[in-house]
Amino acid sequence: MPDNRSPLPTELHELTIAEAARLIEARRLSPVELATALIARREAVDPQLDAFILPTDEHALEQARTAEAEIASGTYRGAMHGIPFGLKDIYCTAGVPTTGHSKVAADFVPNGDATTVSRLYEAGAVLVGKLATHEFAHGGPSFDLPWPAARNPWNREHFTGGSSSGSGAAVAAGMALGALGSDTGGSIRNPAALCGLVGLKPTYGLVSRAGVYTNSYTYDHAGPMTWTVEDCAIMLQVLAGHDPEDPASADRPVPDYRAALTGDIRGLRVGVLRHLYEEDVPVAPAAAAALEAAYDVLRSLGATVEEARIRPAQDYYDVKIVGAESELFAVHEEALRTRPGDFGEDFLGRALAAMLVRGSDYVQSLRERRAMLAEMEPLYARYDVLVTAAPGPAPRLDAWRTLMFWQKASLTTPFNVTGGPALVQCIGFTDGGLPLSMQIVGRPFDDATVLRVADAYERATPWRGRRPQLNPDAVFSREAPPLPEAVRADADPEQRAELAALCRRADLTLNARQFEMLCATAPYMQGMIDRLRRKRPFGAEPANIFAFGPGRDA
């Protein structure tokens, strides 16, 4: 009897998770064969990209052999069984170093796995390696760290986005079929956008943060980065769910995310946040044109598309930076006091300015956040999803300067502050071949509708048929660009004296270059603090008030 099934793809590294899962379940593809192919792919192209900090080849092959034996015996765990994935190197892995891409944690080997890692292992997934990140998921791109910065597979001279930089590069280049990133101000969505992927910041509390290096307790999200929306839904299905080890974990039912991908969005109401990228954080003309074309696709699929507005992007940025940088400083305070020279310059250029934040300033940022959360409710009632621009196209890697972090707001940060799901997907390319992307935002815990809209758009457009073209035989210089010249701050002697006194109170010893960076960044932080210092009603509470869970006995 003739076999009319389509043959295996010639390039196994271009399989999606869904495609590989169907082949593995049907025993047409061996997990060992797939893992071996991705290891070979990494060996061929990662010297150009530096996406991996630590490959875990033997570990991967052992897991793949276990998966193969289980499936052969009739035990199939689901769509992630035998699927190779990568981890941003802030996820704890038992017996495997978890460095945070920092000299500070270069020798740290955890005793246990992050909850998300355990869930992937329980689903039969195969870890192919720990991936590059900006230092502790924050400072970067940096070239003064123990490992090089990851490079963009679409053009290695350009930025991957961050902080989940290695996750973006590894999935785009076919070195992992999926990866985990983290998102405090856009760190899943930024590299997903610049590397042409699907990246989901799930609703806050949906996916456990336990066992993941903390950037900000208030704003950290863990989530998947994949090639397709369906793959993202597959990974989220494994990751989502209550975890008593995470104080922020939500105890709610987990829907069938893959079942939500019906391709039908007729009648859905879409609000376009055009002001974010036309007034607040202007994007390139090519990105704006791609967004207009994407809205036309949504209309053609039966959605109602109309204009909507939230606050200016800077308002959310002020709230997030004042709060999150304070938390980051607290997390790393001891190491900042005892070994500041072991941190990269970009990390210090963000974290040090948190010394200016008083306790009352931190509380004011959280009071303002509560007001922002309340303001979203009418929008959630009126629209099923909101859409807006994502970052991109990718700038050159050598164009980054630390002060850029302070000098303009972000397209992604508003949705860390509001906490609901936010997904980025590719909607086209520049003439130079760099990805362009759109951001889809949903109601809290309605991640399924966000995935549904993104999947419908993806099915109607050709962008998933285009992959980065990498030549394994190409020769590139691996020399890191030199550090930028030291910042020269305009601070007057009185301001410098005040900052020096602040360092003494914090028991912090900085060299001249580090102190100059503090002097340069302090006015930006002070501006954010000043904008948050305004009169509020006496009863305006902060956003993170503690409450006991249901069912607690007296």
Side-chain angles (χ1 to χ4, degrees), residues 36-47:
T36 301
L38 266 67
I39 290 169
R41 175 67 172 175
R42 189 208 73 241
E43 291 173 343
V45 302
D46 197 48

Side-chain angles (χ1 to χ4, degrees), residues 318-456:
D318 291 349
V319 164
K320 185 264 179 181
I321 296 300
V322 170
E325 295 302 324
S326 300
E327 294 175 357
L328 180 85
F329 190 93
V331 169
H332 296 283
E333 185 173 11
E334 181 180 356
L336 286 167
R337 284 201 310 265
T338 59
R339 49 194 297 199
D342 286 346
F343 288 94
E345 186 170 277
D346 202 86
F347 182 94
L348 294 174
R350 301 183 188 201
L352 292 177
M355 288 190 292
L356 278 75
V357 180
R358 305 177 307 177
S360 60
D361 300 324
Y362 177 76
V363 173
Q364 298 296 17
S365 76
L366 294 174
R367 295 176 86 193
E368 194 65 23
R369 186 189 183 211
R370 179 172 286 278
M372 291 172 165
L373 291 169
E375 290 165 3
M376 293 300 293
E377 292 302 322
L379 287 170
Y380 294 146
R382 183 176 179 87
Y383 301 107
D384 296 295
V385 295
L386 303 170
V387 296
T388 192
R396 284 187 59 86
L397 192 56
D398 57 9
W400 176 256
R401 297 294 183 270
T402 300
L403 285 181
M404 294 165 67
F405 171 79
W406 296 97
Q407 289 169 338
K408 71 174 184 177
S410 160
L411 290 165
T412 51
T413 295
F415 311 112
N416 293 85
V417 174
T418 56
L423 176 147
V424 155
Q425 70 182 143
C426 182
I427 58 170
F429 295 86
T430 65
D431 291 342
L434 294 172
L436 301 167
S437 297
M438 171 172 68
Q439 194 171 187
I440 304 174
V441 179
R443 306 180 186 100
F445 297 102
D446 195 15
D447 304 62
T449 297
V450 170
L451 290 163
R452 176 183 165 194
V453 172
D455 174 68

Side-chain angles (χ1 to χ4, degrees), residues 265 269-277 291-292 294-296 298-299 303-310 376 383-390 411 415 421-423 425 427 437-442 449-450 453-454 457:
I265 60 170
R269 300 160 299 168
V270 177
V272 176
L273 302 177
R274 189 184 303 276
H275 70 96
L276 287 181
Y277 62 90
L291 286 163
E292 293 303 319
Y295 304 155
D296 287 342
L298 297 178
R299 291 187 187 96
T304 299
V305 180
E306 62 181 50
E307 303 290 315
R309 289 188 76 92
I310 58 173
M376 293 300 293
Y383 301 107
D384 296 295
V385 295
L386 303 170
V387 296
T388 192
L411 290 165
F415 311 112
L423 176 147
Q425 70 182 143
I427 58 170
S437 297
M438 171 172 68
Q439 194 171 187
I440 304 174
V441 179
T449 297
V450 170
V453 172
Y457 173 83

Side-chain angles (χ1 to χ4, degrees), residues 497-517:
E498 290 174 356
L499 290 171
L502 200 61
C503 289
R504 287 194 295 273
R505 286 198 298 272
D507 194 21
L508 196 63
T509 302
L510 304 179
N511 64 32
R513 185 178 173 111
Q514 293 163 348
F515 182 72
E516 201 68 22
M517 179 65 79

Side-chain angles (χ1 to χ4, degrees), residues 49 133-135 138-143 149-166 168-169 172 186-187 190-196 346 350 391-401 404-405 434-435:
L49 302 175
T133 172
H134 293 174
E135 188 171 19
H138 198 51
S142 300
F143 294 94
R151 293 176 177 268
N152 195 316
W154 297 94
N155 185 326
R156 70 181 304 277
E157 301 305 324
H158 287 248
F159 188 24
T160 56
S163 63
S164 307
S165 52
S187 291
N190 289 332
L194 271 55
C195 293
D346 202 86
R350 301 183 188 201
R396 284 187 59 86
L397 192 56
D398 57 9
W400 176 256
R401 297 294 183 270
M404 294 165 67
F405 171 79
L434 294 172

